[in-house]
Amino acid sequence: MNMTIFLQQARRGASKQVTIAAFTTYGRHFSTYRPQFKQADGEEVHNLSKVFPSAEEAVKDIPSGSTLMVGGFGLCGIPENLIGALKKRSSDCKDLTVVSNNAGVDDFGLGQLLRTRQVKRMISSYVGENKEFERQYLSGELEVELTPQGTLAERVRAGGAGIPAFFTPTAYGTEVQTGELIIKYGPDGQPLIRSKPREVREFNGRKYIMEEAISGDYSLVKAWKGDAFGNLVFKGSAMNFNPAMAKASKNTIAEVEEIVPVGSLRPEDIHLPGIFVKRIIQGKNYEKRIERLTLTQDKPVAGPDASAAGEKDEAARRREMIVRRAAKEFKNGMYVNLGIGMPMLASNYLEKGVNVHLQSENGILGFGPFPRPGEQDPDLINAGKETITLLPGASLFSSDDSFAMIRGSHVNLTILGALQVSAKGDLANWIIPRKMVKGMGGAMDLVSSPGTRVVVTMEHLAKGGKHKILESCTLPLTGVGCVDRIITDLCVFDVKDGGLVLTELMEGTSVDDVKRGTGASFKISPDLIQN
């Protein structure tokens, strides 16, 4: 069956007769016609072009006191040129509120704007290794609104979608919910500004807190390619927060590595339509600094203190014992999220016949081993900012999509570290008040999903022999009653019915050793395993 239609050509008034071949299956019609796309003519491009000649021109009208939505994750996918142009305006563009997952490092990315004192408040999920960020916050020079990473992504997405607020299970029972987070310290080191308490509601027997959307005055984002109409294509994990940030203001400024002719991007390949972009510039002299260059070496390089026999020190032996035991948690076909450090190393010890899909909060599903020297790609990093490779069948997506997978219970297992765990399964792993501020990152989201099994890997004792497994956590919580299993260098505990059950002893460990090293009471399984 064929049908004939008339297509009206825009602007010229002429019509064109087109015959379309069609076929029918199960009562539905499918057309084999595919429109042919061509590059726009010069007049159309000139009239509709959003291209600015330089980064300096694109940001020159951003006033002091603006709220900026800035894309990037770590140093991956950050708008280097636009940030550099803003830095040049340090004398007349100040008191900025910057919404971004993190603030780069001391001397690169948004860290540069912190150094020039142009930022009044950061709304972020992670401080990380930016010492200047941490110093300014703890000294009271900078306001910092720490927000769980998935909540941040959703608040920004909601802001761009016109949704004023939403309910999430993330951070219920923590200082985020109670309004005890310190946003700014006073000169005397005492809290000057605290966060607002969140409204709590119950849905289907589960507690949720209300979070308000975030939108800004300007957005600064980075893409791989773009055209004069503002259509953008991202590369690798450099997509991360960029699409959501671009949608969350009416004045989005995009920088791209290459501006291509209008019409040369296939419509189905465009990640962000030009309707969300106000200005576009072609970036120059990209540094694309890698925060944690991590490589696969053919032959391990012995450290300077390693003995000729290659014996490991006791601490390394104990960590490996934890990692190898954690690897037994993987079941074939699982979708798994692994934290930084020991959790990530567990994927190196998969048992024979077991394959899993590794998910990363910054928008990757199906990543593989670290690259070999010379094969690293600064646009391909995991949530720990480490360089990675992709396995066949991998996929890439935005940060807000990533946390939809996490909150929606599509991730089967998460393994992460801890500072403290309580007998009831409460977890604390993101801050030591007034001493260490790393930020919660994605941990609060990962442990809040009811369908995800949560396993903690950690050394049994802290420095100085202090207990890390306690009746109640003394540090601010990451999640309440969220831990299912604890794997340490002494034993394995399961959290059952609001208490600890000792299920396994590590090699060379006795029950008395565990009792001395644990600051909480526990039961002993009748099927206790001695490894």
Side-chain angles (χ1 to χ4, degrees):
M1 178 182 70
N2 293 337
M3 58 182 172
T4 300
I5 63 173
F6 286 88
L7 299 181
Q8 193 75 23
Q9 266 190 306
R11 298 179 60 200
R12 292 178 177 82
S15 60
K16 181 180 180 181
Q17 180 175 307
V18 178
T19 300
I20 302 177
F23 60 91
T24 304
T25 177
Y26 297 107
R28 294 186 179 184
H29 292 280
F30 295 87
S31 170
T32 59
Y33 169 74
R34 293 292 182 268
Q36 298 299 310
F37 298 98
K38 62 180 181 178
Q39 294 183 12
D41 62 34
E43 180 186 354
E44 290 173 323
V45 172
H46 178 76
N47 290 341
L48 300 174
S49 177
K50 301 176 180 179
V51 177
F52 272 57
S54 67
E56 289 75 15
E57 282 293 313
V59 304
K60 72 178 184 180
D61 60 346
I62 296 178
S64 291
S66 295
T67 295
L68 305 183
M69 317 296 290
V70 183
F73 184 93
L75 302 180
C76 181
I78 62 171
E80 294 181 26
N81 287 265
L82 296 173
I83 292 171
L86 270 183
K87 180 185 174 185
K88 294 176 183 177
R89 295 189 54 208
S90 59
S91 62
D92 70 334
C93 188
K94 301 178 179 180
D95 296 324
L96 300 171
T97 294
V98 178
V99 182
S100 188
N101 181 62
N102 54 290
V105 293
D106 289 9
D107 61 345
F108 195 61
L110 287 170
Q112 298 173 89
L113 302 187
L114 293 179
R115 281 183 172 271
T116 53
R117 303 296 194 275
Q118 289 172 262
V119 181
K120 177 184 178 181
R121 174 178 287 205
M122 286 292 309
I123 302 178
S124 302
S125 83
Y126 196 64
V127 176
E129 285 65 50
N130 190 323
K131 296 298 182 183
E132 181 64 11
F133 190 170
E134 185 176 44
R135 188 199 67 76
Q136 288 189 23
Y137 171 55
L138 292 177
S139 65
E141 299 171 33
L142 177 70
E143 298 176 11
V144 178
E145 185 180 333
L146 287 169
T147 304
Q149 192 175 131
T151 297
L152 178 64
E154 191 65 11
R155 290 179 71 187
V156 173
R157 190 203 68 80
I163 299 171
F166 58 91
F167 283 90
T168 175
T170 299
Y172 171 75
T174 73
E175 290 186 351
V176 175
Q177 177 233 309
T178 58
E180 296 174 88
L181 289 181
I182 299 171
I183 290 177
K184 187 176 183 180
Y185 288 97
D188 57 356
Q190 296 303 307
L192 192 62
I193 303 174
R194 289 189 183 270
S195 60
K196 296 189 303 182
R198 304 314 201 247
E199 178 185 340
V200 177
R201 288 194 193 180
E202 184 173 310
F203 298 93
N204 300 318
R206 187 171 175 79
K207 297 292 178 58
Y208 292 76
I209 67 174
M210 192 183 82
E211 292 284 1
E212 296 182 6
I214 304 175
S215 58
D217 303 305
Y218 292 83
S219 297
L220 308 181
V221 300
K222 159 69 168 50
W224 179 40
K225 293 182 179 181
D227 63 24
F229 290 176
N231 297 308
L232 301 181
V233 175
F234 302 98
K235 177 174 177 282
S237 61
M239 182 183 294
N240 51 66
F241 274 85
N242 278 295
M245 293 296 182
K247 298 172 185 177
S249 85
K250 295 294 192 297
N251 296 293
T252 293
I253 308 172
E255 69 170 76
V256 297
E257 295 178 40
E258 181 183 3
I259 295 180
V260 300
V262 171
S264 63
L265 297 175
R266 297 197 310 171
E268 60 266 37
D269 292 340
I270 292 170
H271 294 132
L272 186 77
I275 192 171
F276 295 110
V277 177
K278 196 74 167 284
R279 306 169 187 174
I280 185 169
I281 64 116
Q282 182 157 324
K284 299 177 181 178
N285 305 317
Y286 281 105
E287 183 174 343
K288 285 194 174 184
R289 192 183 298 185
I290 295 175
E291 200 164 346
R292 290 182 179 172
L293 177 60
T294 314
L295 302 171
T296 295
Q297 303 286 351
D298 290 327
K299 293 183 180 180
V301 180
D305 298 326
S307 67
E311 294 180 356
K312 298 170 181 158
D313 64 0
E314 182 62 15
R317 185 190 71 82
R318 286 180 172 273
R319 286 194 294 271
E320 183 174 324
M321 187 162 50
I322 296 170
V323 168
R324 288 183 177 276
R325 174 58 188 83
K328 295 182 180 180
E329 298 296 310
F330 300 132
K331 307 302 178 188
N332 191 53
M334 271 186 167
Y335 290 93
V336 178
N337 185 290
L338 302 176
I340 301 169
M342 285 192 290
M344 185 60 69
L345 293 175
S347 62
N348 295 328
Y349 297 95
L350 287 171
E351 294 183 340
K352 187 176 180 180
V354 174
N355 293 284
V356 298
H357 306 278
L358 297 182
Q359 195 262 10
S360 188
E361 299 100 296
N362 58 319
I364 308 173
L365 185 62
F367 66 89
F370 302 130
R372 295 186 179 278
E375 297 178 357
Q376 64 269 19
D377 183 348
D379 291 325
L380 209 53
I381 63 166
N382 63 18
K385 322 296 194 308
E386 299 166 314
T387 44
I388 56 165
T389 59
L390 297 180
L391 297 175
S395 56
L396 301 162
F397 36 87
S398 62
S399 294
D400 48 312
D401 277 344
S402 181
F403 282 96
M405 298 174 188
I406 291 167
R407 277 193 312 274
S409 301
H410 302 288
V411 174
N412 305 115
L413 170 70
T414 185
I415 304 179
L416 69 172
L419 296 171
Q420 294 177 345
V421 182
S422 80
K424 302 183 291 294
D426 300 337
L427 171 68
N429 76 345
W430 69 276
I431 188 173
I432 301 176
R434 298 291 300 163
K435 291 184 179 179
M436 182 202 78
V437 184
K438 292 297 182 184
M440 61 280 289
M444 286 189 178
D445 306 276
L446 285 161
V447 302
S448 70
S449 174
T452 300
R453 180 171 172 79
V454 177
V455 175
V456 165
T457 57
M458 66 179 188
E459 293 167 320
H460 205 95
L461 296 170
K463 290 181 180 179
K466 293 183 178 180
H467 292 151
K468 297 173 72 174
I469 302 174
L470 307 165
E471 289 293 349
S472 298
C473 294
T474 59
L475 295 174
L477 295 181
T478 304
V480 176
C482 57
V483 177
D484 296 296
R485 175 166 286 177
I486 310 167
I487 301 173
T488 77
D489 49 333
L490 296 185
C491 67
V492 176
F493 280 122
D494 282 349
V495 182
K496 294 182 177 180
D497 301 322
L500 296 175
V501 179
L502 179 64
T503 60
E504 298 180 36
L505 292 172
M506 294 299 189
E507 181 181 352
T509 301
S510 67
V511 172
D512 287 338
D513 293 332
V514 175
K515 287 181 178 178
R516 284 191 295 270
T518 305
S521 59
F522 59 87
K523 297 178 181 179
I524 301 174
S525 170
D527 301 315
L528 180 65
I529 297 171
Q530 176 75 64
N531 290 309

